[in-house]
Amino acid sequence: MQRKSLVIIGAIAILAMSAVILLMEKQPLLKSDFNSSNSSRQAPSGSKTYEDLDYGFSFFYPQDFSVGAFSDEENTKTVLVQDENKKTGVQVYISSFGEDITLTPERIKKDAPDVLMNDVKTVSLDGVNTVSFGSVNSSGQSREVWFVHKSNLYQISTPQTQRSDLKNSPRSDLDPLDDIIKSWQWNQ
């Protein structure tokens, strides 16, 4: 009887370990593939540095914000930068694009005709031309910056905030999206 119990417990342990290994390989939820403390870039006062080791870029973000990076099976990555009260933040969504092109507003309209674009501008981000625009989606108004680099599509977005939303932040004079865009640097 005792031997049968040990065999059953052993089989359950092997199955559990196998399931954990399979889940870790299939769906890593939070990856420690970024560095926010030992970066080679010196962050200005009141800021920290986010350095992405997978895609080879870094940017500065307000020191009272936190960062999380999530990847999935589809070779996509989402980087979330938000304040402690979750009133404002920035999302960087990266996905494989299959082409290494200079993205244009016309191409966005062709590939995503439902995306509403207003106040469209071209902005340079460390040598890469981007499309910057305002948009409206199910969550409300947003500011967007989209571009392609090394065959990956980067979609950086933030909810359209009012300056009053940032009044309690020590850096209320700055917009976190502007901080990120102005400080973005390719490391490769």
Side-chain angles (χ1 to χ4, degrees):
M1 183 74 171
Q2 190 176 27
R3 184 167 190 236
K4 188 176 179 180
S5 295
L6 287 175
V7 170
I8 292 172
I9 290 172
I12 291 172
I14 290 171
L15 286 173
M17 286 176 27
S18 298
V20 167
I21 290 170
L22 283 173
L23 286 173
M24 286 173 53
E25 287 177 355
K26 291 228 175 239
Q27 195 171 21
L29 293 178
L30 178 62
K31 294 177 68 180
S32 59
D33 53 359
F34 67 90
N35 180 355
S36 64
S37 59
N38 298 322
S39 174
S40 58
R41 292 180 69 190
Q42 180 66 35
S45 178
S47 297
K48 293 182 183 176
T49 303
Y50 171 83
E51 185 170 11
D52 193 284
L53 303 177
D54 287 336
Y55 292 91
F57 65 88
S58 60
F59 57 77
F60 301 137
Y61 65 96
Q63 72 180 7
D64 57 336
F65 280 44
S66 61
V67 176
F70 308 87
S71 297
D72 67 16
E73 294 177 20
E74 308 286 320
N75 290 326
T76 66
K77 183 172 198 170
T78 303
V79 179
L80 297 173
V81 182
Q82 63 189 124
D83 72 342
E84 61 187 40
N85 299 323
K86 298 183 179 167
K87 284 190 170 191
T88 188
V90 177
Q91 172 181 289
V92 179
Y93 181 76
I94 307 165
S95 59
S96 178
F97 191 67
E99 298 176 70
D100 196 13
I101 64 166
T102 299
L103 194 62
T104 63
E106 294 78 22
R107 179 63 186 261
I108 293 172
K109 286 310 249 178
K110 178 184 172 200
D111 291 351
D114 293 339
V115 173
L116 300 174
M117 299 171 59
N118 58 58
D119 194 25
V120 179
K121 299 175 185 166
T122 300
V123 177
S124 180
L125 185 143
D126 196 25
V128 175
N129 286 333
T130 72
V131 179
S132 173
F133 58 95
S135 189
V136 179
N137 56 42
S138 61
S139 301
Q141 294 184 344
S142 65
R143 290 183 54 217
E144 310 277 338
V145 177
W146 292 17
F147 60 95
V148 175
H149 181 69
K150 293 187 177 180
S151 299
N152 290 305
L153 174 64
Y154 292 74
Q155 297 168 287
I156 306 173
S157 61
T158 187
Q160 191 72 36
T161 59
Q162 302 296 321
R163 289 292 176 199
S164 61
D165 292 341
L166 301 173
K167 69 181 175 187
N168 294 327
S169 171
R171 294 173 43 109
S172 62
D173 58 322
L174 299 175
D175 182 322
L177 179 62
D178 288 342
D179 283 354
I180 288 171
I181 297 304
K182 289 175 184 173
S183 67
W184 189 287
Q185 185 175 62
W186 299 107
N187 302 330
Q188 299 177 358

